[in-house]
Amino acid sequence: MIDLARQLTDDNTPAELGQLVLKLASVSADISAKVRLGALAGVLGSAGEQNVQGETQKKLDVIANDMLKEALLSLPQVRALASEEEDNVVAANHGGAYIVAFDPLDGSSNIDINGQIGTIFTVYPARDEVACDSAEQFAQPGRQQVCAGYMLYGPSTQMALTTGGPSRLFTLVPEQGAYQLTQNELNIAPECQEFAINMANQRHWSPATQAYIADLQAGSTGARGKDFNMRWNGAMVGDVHRVLMRGGIFLYPANTQSKTHNGKLRLLYEANPMALLVENAGGKAVVGAQAILDVAPESLHQRVPVILGSGAEVEYFQAQQ
Ligand code: AHG
Ligand code: MN
Ligand code: MN
């Protein structure tokens, strides 16, 4: 068995970055323990506050955010933090070489129904030319990420991680609070027969996206000549994990007729880390014509359309636009 620390060393991860990843892993083991106990740990239900995006915060959103924040602020290599649950950038340590952004708890609507939830994180190099607490620290395209990953709190707790090389999968041993390597290299097959989208938003999509999904539904009787199945978790971590494990296409497209016209998912701490994991597993991740990783950020909590997964299927989607 190869544990996370050993794999980071074998991958020649810079020591400070490796310690940062190990810290995130250790906090996630603590979050996982609370998730596992659920109501018995008093972590279910609403916190009664709203975040900057006007979403009602669940207790676990706040608990996970506070745990990650406290742990990362203690690391000298971390210069600044950004989180879905923080309105602004949080300054950390002036000399730090890295900045970290995270979605502390993804899939909040699944918390109270004992469904799949997760944590998403990304690490960038700190920028010397701007202040520690400036949103400009995070105004870097996703290609600049030095590390990205997620933890999935499912029947087992798993972490998908890339430090620039292959996307790898680790599984938590709760008794040890440590992750072991369980899949050395994730590879997404280019072709697929499964899609993930919230069909309730159908009327809000562009005509081209509506036609693409209609073709998938028509299956072997339509233009595609093969049947597709559909799955939707309501948690990006769970839906993208399925795509990484067995191929497929995940879409949270632009909602052309609603106020969330750029879709729902946030570029910095949802779209970009998932895009890096998917690309490093051989898949594709796009907003439309452009790769997610090439989008120039405009604001900290910016939303973008997300289409990712099996390479040939994502290219087919792009050709239909
Ligand atoms: P979060 O819980 O961090 O706010 O993210 C929820 C996101 C994402 O996980 C998922 O793909 C999407 O919301 C689900 O949206 P629907 O409510 O449209 O199913
Ligand atoms: Mn999320
Ligand atoms: Mn969240």
Side-chain angles (χ1 to χ4, degrees):
M1 282 287 229
I2 298 176
D3 68 14
L4 175 62
R6 159 89 188 281
Q7 187 62 55
L8 288 164
T9 306
D10 288 356
D11 284 341
N12 296 315
T13 312
E16 286 196 333
L17 179 59
Q19 289 153 9
L20 201 169
V21 172
L22 287 169
K23 178 66 90 175
L24 289 167
S26 135
V27 178
S28 76
D30 294 341
I31 296 173
S32 176
K34 290 188 190 294
V35 167
R36 208 147 296 284
L37 284 171
L40 299 173
V43 297
L44 305 189
S46 169
E49 301 287 328
Q50 287 201 339
N51 66 18
V52 68
Q53 295 152 80
E55 297 162 342
T56 301
Q57 291 176 310
K58 298 276 187 178
K59 275 188 203 164
L60 206 54
D61 289 322
V62 176
I63 291 167
N65 186 59
D66 289 350
M67 289 168 77
L68 287 160
K69 192 164 111 177
E70 186 188 340
L72 291 171
L73 287 176
S74 73
L75 292 181
Q77 61 267 55
V78 176
R79 193 176 307 189
L81 305 178
S83 161
E84 182 190 349
E85 308 303 341
E86 299 285 336
D87 298 4
N88 301 305
V89 168
V90 179
N93 300 298
H94 274 84
Y98 299 107
I99 57 172
V100 186
F102 50 87
D103 176 353
L105 208 293
D106 176 67
S108 302
S109 69
N110 283 354
I111 295 172
D112 294 346
I113 56 114
N114 197 15
Q116 288 191 328
I117 51 179
T119 295
I120 312 174
F121 62 91
T122 174
V123 183
Y124 289 82
R127 298 178 66 188
D128 290 334
E129 63 279 20
V130 290
C132 273
D133 62 352
S134 166
E136 287 294 309
Q137 281 291 349
F138 291 89
Q140 307 185 43
R143 294 258 173 238
Q144 310 279 1
Q145 293 172 100
V146 294
C147 165
Y150 64 76
M151 289 81 168
L152 169 64
Y153 309 113
S156 58
T157 291
Q158 296 192 301
M159 175 169 61
L161 177 73
T162 176
T163 51
S167 296
R168 304 189 195 282
L169 189 67
F170 299 83
T171 301
L172 178 69
V173 184
E175 298 73 20
Q176 300 170 355
Y179 285 86
Q180 300 285 342
L181 182 70
T182 44
Q183 212 164 319
N184 190 38
E185 236 176 86
L186 300 174
N187 285 302
I188 305 176
E191 311 281 347
C192 68
Q193 288 185 253
E194 201 159 75
F195 68 100
I197 194 166
N198 184 346
M199 288 297 300
N201 295 328
Q202 187 167 19
R203 68 191 182 284
H204 297 308
W205 306 330
S206 69
T209 299
Q210 296 203 32
Y212 167 76
I213 296 294
D215 268 353
L216 299 188
Q217 290 176 293
S220 55
T221 64
R224 304 303 304 276
K226 61 178 179 180
D227 287 328
F228 282 79
N229 201 357
M230 197 207 85
R231 292 283 184 272
W232 185 250
N233 252 318
M236 186 189 201
V237 167
D239 286 313
V240 173
H241 185 70
R242 189 186 316 102
V243 167
L244 279 163
M245 299 315 291
R246 65 178 191 205
I249 184 166
F250 168 91
L251 308 97
Y252 215 114
N255 291 0
T256 55
Q257 294 164 47
S258 91
K259 62 175 182 162
T260 56
H261 60 281
N262 275 333
K264 182 176 184 186
L265 300 172
R266 279 60 55 109
L267 174 63
L268 177 60
Y269 40 80
E270 291 177 320
N272 269 332
M274 292 309 201
L276 191 67
L277 284 165
V278 165
E279 282 204 5
N280 288 348
K284 292 200 81 174
V286 304
V287 294
Q290 191 181 26
I292 289 173
L293 296 177
D294 293 327
V295 173
E298 287 168 6
S299 62
L300 200 59
H301 299 285
Q302 172 183 354
R303 298 176 196 265
V304 286
V306 172
I307 295 94
L308 60 77
S310 292
E313 189 58 37
V314 173
E315 283 169 12
Y316 185 92
F317 170 87
Q318 288 181 297
Q320 304 306 304
Q321 300 307 295

